[in-house]
Amino acid sequence: MELPETAVSADPETETAITEAAFNSFKMPLLPSQLLCQNSVSPGYAIKSSLLGHSGCVTGVKFSPDGENLVSSSADKLLKLWDISATRCIQSLAGHEHGVNDVAWSAAGLLASCSDDKTVRLWDTRSQRCVKALEGHSNFSFSCCFNPQANLLATTSFDETVRLWDVRTGKTLKIVTAHQDPVTSVDFNRDGSCFVTSSIDGLVRLWDSSTGHALKTLVDVDNIPVGYVKFSPNGRYILSSTLNNTLKLWNYNKPKCLRIYRGHVNESYCLTSNFSITAGIWIVSGSEDNTLCIWNLQTRELVQKVCTQGDRVLCSHCHPTANVIATGALQNAFAIKIWQSSE
């Protein structure tokens, strides 16, 4: 496969330091006192509550932009909306004909979901209705993400494409032939000018949102399938999860792999990974050995590896303002667990 000339390889021995200015920028919008907290003390996450209601594996969990609610997607074909403070389900949204693979919030309060039925649906939580069903993918639709302006939705598929949809009209704006294998995830940067994708083909690619043109390709040395990819909150870094028990932090402008995180097990599933910036600066991921793993971003130290009570965590998400993490389980009671830090 021919790669753009901007393609680079990851150096597993790279020790490049994140500069203090970039690191401080990365940590914003923390308070000045919090910026000084760079030690590797465990954040002490423990289970606060469990949310039960799904009858199939939980594939996605996302906090609302204001942090008051949580939405979950599941192989049981349903989306469920949860009141976090009351720890109860307040809505159950049905409409997909097969399992739901991912769910996303828009800044305007809409939900998007994508499914094995090949469709993408837009939901109004106030009316509890599906307001649009977006059709076009020719295979399973696997992940979805709104741009920050909430007028554009990106979806990925096993048909090896990314589709960019006009949220207002529900029409396809662009079809990006993104990879040569199923596309596993998509994420916009903080101003929506570009988006990043990952794939089973082992590549991470950066794209221009307005043109759909490839800007850069980040290549793992062994082309290990990439299950998930995400921009850092400040948009300067990309976190990728590969199916060889590895997380990598990239400075894509250099481009260079800056950090490698190990200690979890990820060989079979596209596990989500996250940045937590509400107290310490952590990298968060589930693990296939029934644990939740948390690393110090700067030192790469695995600061907490906590038992999930038999749950194999497929998905996780960090609260926008509180020291709280939500996780979704593959098996057992298909529970959603809410984790609270002792910090």
Side-chain angles (χ1 to χ4, degrees):
M1 177 174 53
E2 184 178 354
L3 300 178
E5 61 182 6
T6 48
V8 296
S9 296
D11 178 0
E13 303 302 324
T14 296
E15 295 291 341
T16 304
I18 301 175
T19 66
E20 183 175 358
F23 189 56
N24 287 346
S25 174
F26 175 86
K27 292 191 288 187
M28 294 301 289
L30 301 180
L31 298 175
S33 60
Q34 292 174 308
L35 293 175
L36 300 176
C37 180
Q38 298 183 20
N39 58 48
S40 295
V41 175
S42 169
Y45 277 95
I47 296 171
K48 179 182 179 183
S49 58
S50 292
L51 309 177
L52 300 175
H54 281 297
S55 59
C57 68
V58 179
T59 57
V61 287
K62 301 287 173 59
F63 286 104
S64 58
D66 61 10
E68 293 184 2
N69 296 312
L70 180 80
V71 67
S72 57
S73 59
S74 171
D76 65 10
K77 310 177 189 177
L78 299 176
L79 302 178
K80 287 185 178 289
L81 193 65
W82 308 84
D83 183 314
I84 296 300
S85 59
T87 63
R88 65 184 182 90
C89 180
I90 54 178
Q91 289 181 27
S92 189
L93 304 176
H96 282 293
E97 296 179 0
H98 297 293
V100 186
N101 293 314
D102 195 17
V103 62
W105 287 95
S106 80
L110 276 180
L111 291 175
S113 59
C114 53
S115 166
D116 280 355
D117 64 16
K118 306 177 188 177
T119 70
V120 179
R121 290 180 178 261
L122 298 179
W123 307 82
D124 182 346
T125 58
R126 291 166 296 182
S127 66
Q128 302 185 32
R129 292 177 53 249
C130 174
V131 293
K132 287 185 178 67
L134 313 181
E135 298 182 352
H137 283 301
S138 61
N139 206 328
F140 306 142
S141 183
F142 198 68
S143 67
C144 53
C145 183
F146 287 98
N147 69 344
Q149 295 79 14
N151 63 346
L152 191 66
L153 176 71
T155 60
T156 76
S157 173
F158 274 42
D159 65 14
E160 303 172 8
T161 70
V162 176
R163 281 183 177 253
L164 300 180
W165 309 83
D166 184 313
V167 172
R168 183 181 61 84
T169 65
K171 303 296 184 182
T172 298
L173 296 177
K174 288 183 178 61
I175 302 174
V176 180
T177 305
H179 293 271
Q180 294 188 342
D181 279 307
V183 188
T184 55
S185 69
V186 61
D187 191 33
F188 283 97
N189 67 344
R190 65 184 299 176
D191 65 7
S193 62
C194 60
F195 62 93
V196 64
T197 59
S198 60
S199 171
I200 299 301
D201 66 11
L203 304 180
V204 172
R205 280 184 162 158
L206 195 69
W207 307 86
D208 185 284
S209 298
S210 60
T211 65
H213 294 160
L215 301 175
K216 285 176 183 165
T217 298
L218 309 179
V219 186
D220 197 315
V221 174
D222 299 316
N223 277 106
I224 303 299
V226 186
Y228 192 74
V229 70
K230 188 177 184 66
F231 278 104
S232 64
N234 70 354
R236 298 182 62 176
Y237 307 102
I238 290 172
L239 183 67
S240 64
S241 305
T242 47
L243 300 188
N244 64 344
N245 315 310
T246 303
L247 297 170
K248 291 182 178 178
L249 185 70
W250 300 82
N251 181 338
Y252 61 88
N253 286 318
K254 294 289 184 182
K256 187 178 295 184
C257 177
L258 298 178
R259 295 285 185 274
I260 297 177
Y261 306 90
R262 296 188 176 95
H264 67 312
V265 178
N266 183 196
E267 298 176 346
S268 302
Y269 299 97
C270 297
L271 306 183
T272 59
S273 50
N274 303 268
F275 295 91
S276 175
I277 60 170
T278 52
I281 311 302
W282 314 118
I283 300 293
V284 177
S285 176
S287 178
E288 292 167 10
D289 61 359
N290 301 341
T291 62
L292 178 66
C293 295
I294 303 173
W295 293 263
N296 180 294
L297 179 141
Q298 182 76 323
T299 68
R300 300 172 299 172
E301 180 184 354
L302 181 62
V303 294
Q304 188 173 9
K305 188 177 175 76
V306 57
C307 176
T308 55
Q309 298 182 343
D311 291 346
R312 186 172 296 180
V313 172
L314 283 183
C315 52
S316 57
H317 197 237
C318 298
H319 195 280
T321 57
N323 300 337
V324 172
I325 298 171
T327 59
L330 171 68
Q331 78 289 49
N332 292 339
F334 311 116
I336 297 165
K337 288 188 167 66
I338 305 299
W339 303 75
Q340 176 77 55
S341 170
S342 59
E343 291 185 336

